[in-house]
Amino acid sequence: MPFLGQDWRSPGQSWVKTADGWTRFLDEKSGGFVSDISSFCKKDDHNKENLFNSINYDVAAKKRKKDLLNNKAKTQYFHQEKWIYVHKGSTKERHGYCTLGEAFNRLDFSTAILDSRRFNYVVRLLELIAKSQLTSLSGIAQKNYMNILEKVVQKVLEDQQNIRLIRELLQTLYTSLCTLVQRVGKSVLVGNINMWVHRMESILHWQQQLNNIQITRPAFKGTTFTDLPLCLQLNIMQRLSDGRDLVSLGQVAPDLQVLSEDRLLWKKLCQYHFTDRQIRKRLILSDKGQLDWKKMYFKLIRCYPRKEQYGDTLQLCRHCHILSWKGTDHPCTANNPETCSTSLSPQEFINLFRF
């Protein structure tokens, strides 16, 4: 007997719903053992109507699916549930194998990029996929990847924020594609080579758009950053987690240039991102015999990964192995689901699908 929930009707066969249940219906030309086709049509009009409705439904469903997966479509393939079951094992009742492409299609990244708390997380995830995981994505997942990337670029063009971050992402993706397209004979990418060349042209166009951005100064006559006391300016600068932002801020005004060179500022930045052991291995002395924390920072980021911090992340439920965004309801049977969730970094998300 089939176990509960199993679909025992074999694919590729026609079935007719009768008063006694579902009955297999085969054409004579197919070599099936059922030859009295008229018997199914003569029983009553209900069975006949049921058969043709079933056929029409299958044709319509296949057509909708084909249109949805068309490469020319600009919309992302959405699922009703915004969570996905992730597990490396399978049982008779549950298919546990899940790919990175499936998770990328199922989780709502298009909406996530509109949330400032999740934006950097999604961008970092897109960067990691661009570096090493493009070939593990299915065709529809690769199309979704490009659609989400286009939405990210459009958001940056409108908001004029995170420009450098997206420039680096596009450059990483373009470099990876140049390498993969050269090996297209080995079937490392899904789809026609012309399609990928077109996508590379789109990336170059986005890069050009970002390079042409002109930051407009807002017409604001109130208190500016330089009007604040020096202690407050330093306190705000200490909140910047990227040394390149400090350098850029120092180029705005001569007074900010002096503040951006503060040794204590760069020392705290080094201690935030790196361990004491890592710092001791990359000591640099200035001409005055003091530690040059600024030079040490830029040397350390070339040797070690920086500390990542995000406002919101994807979470994995340890009880039911379901992956979702924080605050997304999922069918968890735990008494207290909140205590079962573990936040995942972008790299940990990628590692979930390495079998």
Side-chain angles (χ1 to χ4, degrees), residues 269-315:
L269 194 60
C270 289
Q271 293 175 339
Y272 172 76
H273 285 289
F274 309 106
T275 64
D276 292 339
R277 183 178 180 182
Q278 292 172 338
I279 293 175
R280 287 196 298 269
K281 289 184 177 180
R282 298 292 185 271
L283 297 178
I284 299 178
L285 297 178
S286 64
D287 297 335
K288 298 180 181 181
Q290 298 176 331
L291 290 176
D292 194 329
W293 290 99
K294 182 178 179 180
K295 289 184 178 180
M296 288 170 55
Y297 170 81
F298 286 106
K299 186 173 183 179
L300 285 165
I301 62 175
R302 291 194 296 267
C303 302
Y304 308 105
R306 290 180 298 174
K307 181 180 179 180
E308 297 181 4
Q309 187 174 8
Y310 305 99
D312 197 2
T313 65
L314 288 169
Q315 294 190 333

Side-chain angles (χ1 to χ4, degrees), residues 169-198:
L169 169 60
L170 293 177
Q171 185 59 42
T172 300
L173 177 60
Y174 187 81
T175 302
S176 298
L177 286 179
C178 286
T179 303
L180 294 175
V181 167
Q182 293 174 357
R183 299 163 51 195
V184 73
K186 299 180 181 180
S187 301
V188 294
L189 288 173
V190 178
N192 187 279
I193 180 63
N194 295 327
M195 177 183 65
W196 284 103
V197 171
H198 174 72

Side-chain angles (χ1 to χ4, degrees), residues 67-78 110 140 142-151 154 195 198-199 202-203 205-206:
D67 293 339
L68 189 60
L69 303 183
N70 193 315
N71 285 329
K72 296 181 180 180
K74 285 293 184 180
T75 57
Q76 186 186 0
Y77 185 79
F78 288 105
S110 291
I140 185 63
Q142 289 176 355
K143 184 166 70 71
N144 284 347
Y145 179 95
M146 296 301 298
N147 289 341
I148 293 173
L149 181 60
E150 182 177 6
K151 292 180 181 179
Q154 294 303 321
M195 177 183 65
H198 174 72
R199 289 174 175 173
S202 297
I203 295 173
H205 175 67
W206 295 335

Side-chain angles (χ1 to χ4, degrees), residues 242-252 257 260 266 294 298:
D242 193 331
R244 294 171 298 180
D245 293 331
L246 284 176
V247 174
S248 299
L249 185 59
Q251 298 172 351
V252 175
Q257 171 65 29
S260 66
W266 290 98
K294 182 178 179 180
F298 286 106

